[in-house]
Amino acid sequence: MEDFSRKGSGVQDMGPQIGGLLVQIQQRVPVQFVRIRQKLLEMAILICVILLVFWFASFLYGSFYYSVMPTANFITPVHFYYRTDCPSPHQSMCSFLEANVSLLKNGKHQVMINGQPYQIMLELEMPESPANQQLGMFLVKMAPYSTAGQVVATSARSARIHYSSSLLQSLHTVLFSPMLLTGVSVQKQSVMVELFSEFREDSYKPSVGAVIEIHSPHIQIYRAHLYIFAHYTGIRYLMYQFPLTSSVIAVMSNFSFLSLILVLSFLQFSLNGRRLLPGKADMQQKELEEDSNDQFVEENATASTTHLLDSPLLMGSNAIEMEESIPDMGVDKSEDSR
């Protein structure tokens, strides 16, 4: 029984402690919840700001890339035409091969920009026919022109098909006969003719097209393509040769610069706020001091008046005046009654 009573008394003693602990938990849980919510909100705002700055840095680099980097390679087919109204029936072509090529991308945008050197080459796919073997040297001429039709520059280069002996041609035919029979391969050669090594666009007369001529009436061609390659130097070379590295460095540099601007702006704003707060505090302190001074003056005035009223001299004079005024008032009343 004694043990049971001791246990009961111990439980009764623990009751207030448990109640106080529950009260403390109830008081602290909302506070901690508010703090956690505030921290999560701050982290969300920080993440949004970081993503926004990163997106803006990427946008800046992308805009710079597409405004600075010209078209690296431009390839367009070349379709030659010639006259066939020959006075002699033994000739199939009455003129040189000629083609008019557009130097505009999609017919609207210029391929070449000002100040950028370009290499212009013409690729000719020619069959290894006896006519081409006996052709020897032939001349390729190119003349770019502007919108007004003015010739910007001219270039003339000589070329010829690669020489191969009859034995080499026979061995090549025997070795590649299965592919030649199935049509996978054909007997042709690709002749590359460099027309311009460093062509620079004229800002006053931008070229929109070019006329290409082959000065040989007996040449045979499968197809032809015009290639325009940009020669990059400096930062353009780095951006073209190392696109991933240059993009990462540029985006991170923009991100660091923008972050530094944001941090400096935030620090300046916080410092201005701290400067304003002491001024407000001084104003409030001055107002409190003035109120306390006024209250002190009023208390002194009331205290002095009460002290004067409570003094014995004033009390005696007031009593004498009241005594003198009483008979006078009685005499006046008696005279009025009479």
Side-chain angles (χ1 to χ4, degrees), residues 182-198:
T182 55
V184 176
S185 177
V186 294
Q187 291 181 330
K188 65 177 182 179
Q189 289 186 11
S190 294
V191 180
M192 298 294 295
V193 183
E194 185 182 15
L195 298 173
F196 289 94
S197 58
E198 290 187 0

Side-chain angles (χ1 to χ4, degrees), residues 213-225:
E213 296 179 353
I214 298 179
H215 292 194
S216 178
H218 304 290
I219 192 171
Q220 297 177 357
I221 297 173
Y222 281 140
R223 62 182 62 89
H225 290 87

